[in-house]
Amino acid sequence: MIKELINKYYEETSLLRQSIHQEPECAFEEFKTAEKIMKFLDKYGIEYQSGIAKTGILATINGSKPGKTVLLRADMDALPMSENPDNPFASKTAGKMHACGHDGHTAGLCMSAAVLNEMKDQLCGTVKFLFQPAEEADGGAYPMIKAGALQGVDGAFGAHLWGSLQEGVVAIKYGAMMASPDNFKITVKGLGGHGSAPQLAIDPILIAAQIVVSLQTIVSRKVSPLESCVITVGKIHGGTAPNIIPEEVILEGTLRTLNNDVRSVVPNQMKELVETIAKSYGGSAKFEYLPGYPVLVNDDRMTEVTHNALKGFLKEEQIKIIEKPDMGGEDFAYIAQTVPSNFMYVGIMKDKPISHHHPDFHFDDENLKLLSESLVRSAIAFLEKN
């Protein structure tokens, strides 16, 4: 029955995905996207609250019998980048693009809502559908949680269309799945001067270079080799001319960890190292730590629910158990640290990996079916188990 219902709503949700793709909106600007979702929900008489955390939507379907409450989540936002105009149904908005699959997540969750709405007479409990803003930026899940979106929710499921995973395959992970994507900013101050007389200056570029190299000693010598930690300096800005020693250099980067104990210690180690190096060269440095999302940790019991649900309609080779986590970040982590949750990957790769956050990012709409069915069956299995 589920597959028949998914096929019934496929064409409509495929067109919805394409419409969202052509009108991408970035963090907390997803007003047109929200309107498209609300129009879909109105069509099928699905109740919802809108305007949560500015553009978020929380829809609800009550089953015919009492039971637990499960939540399914999708993110709606696009990225501030330009799309290859030769892509199918390419973005019509300059400098904005759905390059990570969030348009598919949104359309797939709409499909899930339509399917479960037709099945509500068979449901024991309640299903909520969270359409959240700003996953790519500030983390829209957190303000939605603060606004009460998880009130009364007993468990949650989420999914991400994944470019390095083969089409038709769903990947799950027990335990830590994605890293905490924290950022940092280092402001190095020296004493400017002429490039021909460095002895009269304090070179912040030299200090910055030492800092960039030395930060890696934290990963190699301060963190256990059995733990994962990444420190990357992705931005350096300083200087105005080849023969001028500047007054200041700014470094910006990211810190990724999979262990909250490591996450709590490393920033202090970075601060001490940065300040010590700068002082040893006669300069100074200010270290700013900008915490991002938490580590995304799947609940074992919820992951088992999804695992068993997938076994009910997929072949063994279509279910992949991930052994190693990804160092990328996901703000579904806020949901997972609030209620027992499971997050999964749904493959979209054909012949070669598809790069996320790339101007040529594109996937086949047929993948919405597996995305939706994986969420629907996980929700049903959770309600039946509880």
Side-chain angles (χ1 to χ4, degrees):
M1 177 183 182
I2 294 175
K3 287 189 182 296
E4 287 78 6
L5 289 174
I6 284 175
N7 287 328
K8 174 181 175 180
Y9 292 105
Y10 169 69
E11 183 175 352
E12 182 178 3
T13 49
S14 173
L15 292 173
L16 174 61
R17 181 251 163 160
Q18 294 173 23
S19 175
I20 293 171
H21 189 93
Q22 288 181 311
E23 295 187 281
E25 298 169 301
C26 294
F28 296 114
E29 300 174 352
E30 307 94 337
F31 295 104
K32 290 182 180 178
T33 303
E35 287 176 6
K36 297 176 196 290
I37 296 167
M38 290 187 286
K39 183 177 179 181
F40 182 92
L41 297 173
D42 286 335
K43 180 178 178 180
Y44 296 106
I46 300 173
E47 297 180 356
Y48 61 86
Q49 297 171 266
S50 62
I52 307 172
K54 199 169 185 179
T55 55
I57 297 170
L58 183 65
T60 303
I61 293 174
N62 294 307
S64 62
K65 303 171 185 177
K68 296 285 188 178
T69 297
V70 65
L71 178 137
L72 305 179
R73 171 269 199 174
D75 37 18
M76 305 184 293
D77 58 320
L79 286 154
M81 59 181 289
S82 297
E83 182 169 16
N84 182 343
D86 295 330
N87 284 356
F89 46 89
S91 169
K92 296 179 180 179
T93 306
K96 296 180 182 180
M97 164 187 187
H98 273 288
C100 202
H102 297 188
D103 51 338
H105 302 165
T106 299
L109 190 58
C110 283
M111 182 190 291
S112 300
V115 169
L116 287 166
N117 190 51
E118 284 213 33
M119 299 178 67
K120 60 186 176 183
D121 289 342
Q122 304 171 38
L123 296 179
C124 300
T126 299
V127 186
K128 291 183 179 289
F129 305 84
L130 188 149
F131 298 88
Q132 70 147 84
E135 190 282 327
E136 296 286 3
D138 303 318
Y142 183 70
M144 289 198 77
I145 293 169
K146 286 188 69 176
L150 293 185
Q151 187 172 355
V153 172
D154 300 298
F157 296 99
H160 201 303
L161 296 167
W162 209 243
S164 59
L165 187 67
Q166 191 68 39
E167 277 189 333
V169 176
V170 178
I172 58 174
K173 171 79 170 64
Y174 288 84
M177 187 176 195
M178 299 185 80
S180 52
D182 302 329
N183 291 332
F184 59 86
K185 180 180 179 181
I186 302 169
T187 303
V188 180
K189 290 188 178 294
L191 177 64
H194 199 287
S196 66
Q199 76 278 10
L200 301 177
I202 297 173
D203 190 349
I205 290 181
L206 173 64
I207 297 172
Q210 294 293 331
I211 288 172
V212 171
V213 173
S214 298
L215 282 173
Q216 299 310 315
T217 64
I218 293 177
V219 176
S220 65
R221 289 295 179 267
K222 295 290 187 179
V223 177
S224 167
L226 301 179
E227 296 288 352
S228 297
C229 180
V230 172
I231 298 175
T232 297
V233 177
K235 182 178 178 181
I236 301 178
H237 179 75
T240 57
N243 62 345
I244 298 175
I245 294 174
E247 292 279 339
E248 180 180 279
V249 174
I250 295 176
L251 311 173
E252 294 183 59
T254 185
L255 165 66
R256 307 289 172 116
T257 60
L258 290 165
N259 181 308
N260 284 325
D261 291 336
V262 175
R263 187 190 188 197
S264 66
V265 170
V266 169
N268 291 328
Q269 295 174 335
M270 294 174 68
K271 181 177 185 294
E272 182 180 0
L273 181 69
V274 164
E275 292 176 349
T276 299
I277 290 174
K279 184 177 181 181
S280 70
Y281 282 88
S284 64
K286 178 183 178 183
F287 177 82
E288 297 175 73
Y289 172 58
L290 309 168
Y293 314 149
V295 179
L296 197 168
V297 182
N298 284 328
D299 179 81
D300 285 350
R301 180 172 167 272
M302 296 295 286
T303 305
E304 185 177 12
V305 169
T306 291
H307 195 179
N308 290 331
L310 296 176
K311 289 177 183 178
F313 75 104
L314 293 178
K315 298 177 181 177
E316 184 177 351
E317 59 268 25
Q318 290 179 278
I319 305 171
K320 180 179 180 180
I321 309 298
I322 301 173
E323 295 183 1
K324 296 180 180 180
D326 191 280
M327 296 308 288
E330 237 292 346
D331 84 335
F332 185 83
Y334 287 121
I335 297 173
Q337 74 173 9
T338 307
V339 298
S341 303
N342 176 67
F343 194 72
M344 68 192 99
Y345 298 146
V346 177
I348 56 175
M349 178 176 71
K350 290 184 182 291
D351 302 323
K352 59 181 180 179
I354 300 172
S355 296
H356 293 261
H357 296 211
H358 190 278
D360 288 324
F361 180 82
H362 177 69
F363 61 89
D364 194 320
D365 281 352
E366 285 283 334
N367 294 298
L368 299 180
K369 295 180 179 179
L370 182 54
L371 172 73
S372 178
E373 186 164 4
S374 299
L375 289 171
V376 166
R377 290 187 181 271
S378 292
I380 293 173
F382 174 83
L383 294 178
E384 289 179 346
K385 189 177 179 66
N386 291 280

